Amino acid sequence: MTTQGAQNAKKGMTIWIDADACPLVVKDLITKTVLRTNTPAIFVANQPIKVRKSPLITMKVVGSGFDVADDYITDNVAPGDLVITSDIPLANDVLDNGGQVLTPHGIIYDKNNIKQKLNARDFMDTMRSTGVLDLSQMGGQKPYSDKDKKQFADGLNKLVR
């Protein structure tokens, strides 16, 4: 076990991945980090996804339904754990539970920036539900770029040592 791996095993960090919408390149980077640092990871999704066979990596399939995977992560995350998600309400719950949050785009959420993101999300939900904003007016999510990959890798390396 490397010194870095021994430190992670000692502090007990687990990486939780909200895996349903997680880009493949992010899953690969997580897997490499898990193996390099000896940090356990749990991929949580509504259906099985292919993960590398390792005693450090678990695939947890939860029931289908709205927020079932998010609820599972929220109920099981421990203080100091890291959650990879782009889901803002889940990120807020994780931070409330003492966890850390990194988006697949490399943004680290904390108590200083999550409320602003949550308010913006809620505002957009209200705009859509009242019909003020039509889904056709939304640009959708941009393709995952090399810049996103680098930012994610940098954020992951910063948080998992």
Side-chain angles (χ1 to χ4, degrees):
M1 182 182 305
T2 66
T3 304
Q4 214 170 5
Q7 289 170 346
N8 284 333
K10 188 188 306 181
K11 69 181 176 184
M13 172 190 277
T14 297
I15 302 172
W16 295 86
I17 303 91
D18 184 9
D20 284 320
C22 191
L24 183 58
V25 66
V26 169
K27 292 174 190 167
D28 291 343
L29 287 168
I30 293 166
T31 299
K32 289 176 185 175
T33 300
V34 162
L35 298 175
R36 177 177 49 82
T37 63
N38 201 38
T39 305
I42 303 170
F43 290 81
V44 182
N46 298 113
Q47 58 188 353
I49 61 167
K50 188 175 181 180
V51 296
R52 184 166 176 175
K53 290 197 183 301
S54 165
L56 293 169
I57 299 172
T58 303
M59 174 66 232
K60 174 64 180 170
V61 179
V62 296
S64 61
F66 188 69
D67 286 342
V68 176
D70 297 353
D71 292 344
Y72 183 86
I73 293 170
T74 300
D75 291 345
N76 290 282
V77 70
D81 284 356
L82 173 61
V83 175
I84 311 298
T85 186
S86 55
D87 186 286
I88 295 167
L90 172 58
N92 186 59
D93 291 345
V94 167
L95 291 170
D96 284 346
N97 288 342
Q100 305 173 84
V101 178
L102 177 66
T103 72
H105 294 277
I107 299 166
I108 298 172
Y109 285 139
D110 59 30
K111 286 295 189 181
N112 295 320
N113 63 11
I114 194 65
K115 296 300 180 199
Q116 177 185 0
K117 291 288 186 183
L118 195 56
N119 288 339
R121 179 204 172 271
D122 291 346
F123 174 74
M124 293 303 285
D125 270 355
T126 300
M127 296 293 284
R128 284 188 293 271
S129 67
T130 59
V132 172
L133 184 62
D134 187 349
L135 289 178
S136 65
Q137 295 173 303
M138 305 280 297
Q141 196 166 12
K142 296 183 296 184
Y144 199 77
S145 69
D146 287 340
K147 181 181 175 186
D148 293 323
K149 179 181 175 181
K150 181 181 181 342
Q151 282 183 225
F152 176 77
D154 290 347
L156 188 60
N157 287 330
K158 179 180 178 181
L159 296 172
V160 181
R161 297 185 177 266

